[in-house]
Amino acid sequence: MLKAEIYITLKKTISDPQGLTIKHALESLGYKGLQEVRIGKLVTIRLNTGDKKEAKKQVDEMCQKLLANPIIENYSFKIEEVK
Amino acid sequence: MLKAEIYITLKKTISDPQGLTIKHALESLGYKGLQEVRIGKLVTIRLNTGDKKEAKKQVDEMCQKLLANPIIENYSFKIEEVK
């Protein structure tokens, strides 16, 4: 079985109000020196296959078709064998 | 400057309706052999400090106090130097 971990982040030029809110919340808890907080998504998919090359192709397609919005988001992923 | 990437995931025993919905959506797009889809959060924090040890302590605290809900979520993070 393979596990794909997909990291979806907003592009640098897109503002991230959720991140800003969390930054302010952290500051109000006393944390200083925060330059930036950005929020993204982490999608974990377990695939019933052992074919890493095919899985890589599929996961890339899934990101483009459904998981990420390529206009405002970047994505990257890693695929590893799990038992 | 340091960058912390924080990965927040639901604990195994907690059901993930959002992940289930995405699993069904992927299946309706024709992807077979999906065992499980789980959704988590990815928080990226840029810190104005070079002290990795202190940053690690702070980020761990932030996770426990605000970013993650330790009752239903696990978290892990990595910290790296960025320019």
Side-chain angles (χ1 to χ4, degrees):
Chain A
M1 194 188 298
L2 296 175
K3 185 175 86 168
E5 286 203 343
I6 304 161
Y7 312 102
I8 300 168
T9 51
L10 282 170
K11 288 187 180 175
K12 270 202 183 307
T13 49
I14 307 292
S15 77
D16 179 0
Q18 201 188 348
L20 210 60
T21 302
I22 290 181
K23 180 171 182 278
H24 291 326
L26 286 169
E27 283 166 346
S28 77
L29 285 174
Y31 295 104
K32 305 294 173 205
L34 305 176
Q35 168 93 3
E36 192 182 35
V37 178
R38 310 266 300 171
I39 309 296
K41 276 178 289 184
L42 169 64
V43 183
T44 309
I45 303 181
R46 281 168 191 275
L47 299 144
N48 289 326
T49 174
D51 184 344
K52 226 164 170 172
K53 200 179 158 193
E54 178 60 25
K56 201 174 158 183
K57 202 182 128 225
Q58 274 204 354
V59 170
D60 194 60
E61 255 181 45
M62 290 176 194
C63 288
Q64 290 190 35
K65 281 192 191 165
L66 185 81
L67 301 176
N69 176 348
I71 297 170
I72 57 165
E73 290 170 330
N74 292 321
Y75 65 87
S76 64
F77 58 86
K78 66 175 185 200
I79 295 179
E80 58 183 27
E81 209 101 25
V82 289
K83 59 172 167 49
Chain B
M1 196 187 300
L2 297 174
K3 185 175 84 167
E5 285 202 345
I6 304 162
Y7 313 102
I8 301 168
T9 52
L10 281 170
K11 288 187 180 177
K12 270 201 183 308
T13 49
I14 307 292
S15 76
D16 180 0
Q18 202 190 348
L20 211 59
T21 302
I22 289 181
K23 181 172 181 279
H24 293 324
L26 287 170
E27 282 166 348
S28 77
L29 284 175
Y31 296 103
K32 306 293 174 206
L34 305 176
Q35 168 94 1
E36 192 181 35
V37 178
R38 310 269 296 175
I39 309 296
K41 277 177 288 183
L42 169 65
V43 182
T44 310
I45 302 180
R46 282 168 190 274
L47 300 145
N48 289 326
T49 173
D51 184 345
K52 226 166 172 172
K53 199 177 157 193
E54 178 60 27
K56 202 173 159 185
K57 202 183 128 224
Q58 274 204 353
V59 170
D60 194 60
E61 255 182 44
M62 290 177 193
C63 288
Q64 290 190 35
K65 282 193 192 163
L66 185 82
L67 302 176
N69 177 348
I71 298 169
I72 58 165
E73 290 171 330
N74 291 321
Y75 65 86
S76 64
F77 58 86
K78 66 175 187 202
I79 294 178
E80 59 184 27
E81 208 101 26
V82 290
K83 60 170 168 46

